Amino acid sequence: MAKIKTVYSCTECGGQSPKWQGQCPHCQSWNTLVETVQAPTSANPRFQAWADTTSQVQVLSEVEAVEVPREPSGIGELDRVLGGGLVRGAVILIGGDPGIGKSTLLLQALSEVGARRKVLYVSGEESPQQIALRASRLAVDPARVRFLAEIRLEAILATLKQEAPEVAVIDSIQTLYTEQVTSAPGSVSQVRECAAQLTRMAKQTGTTILLVGHVTKEGSLAGPRVLEHMVDTVLYFEGESHSSHRMIRAIKNRFGAVNELGVFAMTDKGLKGVSNPSAIFLSSYRDDVAGSCVLVTQEGTRPLLVEVQALVDDAHGFQPKRLTVGLEQNRLAMLLAVAHRHATVACFDQDVFLNAVGGVKISEPAADLAVILAIVSSLRNRPLPEKLVVFGEVGLAGEVRPVSRGQERLKEAAKLGFTRAIVPTANRPRQPIDGLEIVAVDRLADAIDYCKA
């Protein structure tokens, strides 16, 4: 009997090493090498079913560029994140925490698409009875969805070839295994091999495949990082366990814009799209509370109004605390230094806590001015002026820099009833906006002085 050979594969880059090491020699990541069984050299050639066609060299100018047609999923917020709908032959990877609503959303979408197209739901985690019970709870039409409970990749590929669905869901990619690889389901080699063969089939047959992916305790997709490179679109579900709202964000999209955000509300009938998410994030906002400031942030093509809260308190230790939720902690330290140097706002002996209300994560620098004004408001225990919105990037020299899509941000604020706005001078609109007083500033000190009045 031949001895089983093992190799160590990196979960980040997929590189292999003959022995375990603390650091991957390929991508320099730490503690990412996992032991896997090496496939024998006599194994069947991979992608043998797709090796009958050979691509020819072409001149790019001779290739006809056509607009990619899209199939609406029937869920507006999902279509927004996808860039308009499902694309023929695309492979979409959806990740998120357990129980956040991935399977629920895909079952709702398949039911809507199933009214017009042939669809197939492949589950390796749940039985047909469980899926039928969920469909009954969601009040979707089960007659539109064809179902298969299977984890063997070869059987799934044969079914996809026989059924020829236009849209297929694989729930989840970590439960599948192929006989070409001898390791257990969910291992690095199994996940990579199954995803590669499903991707190849999607490109050959034009079937749109949606893959559900598990996540690690750090929140990233489980398996090799190459999994995200193989697929066309990567979506992440976000949301707090204690909140009924869910957000889905595009991290990668070959057929649309990234950083689009879709907002859903979890109800007893499943996930419902939220057309005005700003009203959710401001539902409990009060303008008479110190340390609170409303920011107009931009998520893809959608402006959002988010309340930024700051709490500044006397430090009770040798090292003041700097904690953030939903915002970048390193940027907070930089903004505190800028406020001290250019606006004489000293927080070196204060604990500073920052929070973006509603569970939304803000990464753009347009939140700088709102963060500093919220900190100043809490430090002085004085609320900011009523019905005020703020946006602007703050530089290290204390200047307030312009941000993109300033006109759309201001129109969204005026639509929700705000009457004042502090913006960079370069973002001042050429035409006045009804009901909105624009305060344009060049320096951070000017914005703080206005809030004193």
Side-chain angles (χ1 to χ4, degrees), residues 110-111 113-114 117-121 144-146 165-168:
L110 274 192
S111 177
V113 177
R117 300 287 188 265
K118 190 176 183 180
V119 299
L120 178 65
Y121 192 110
R144 300 175 179 176
V145 182
R146 299 176 67 83
E166 297 189 38
V167 181

Side-chain angles (χ1 to χ4, degrees), residues 45 84 126 153 167 186 202 206 221 254 323 401 405 426:
E126 297 177 284
L153 178 66
V167 181
L221 282 165
R254 289 175 178 161
L323 298 178
R401 297 174 175 268
R405 298 181 178 269

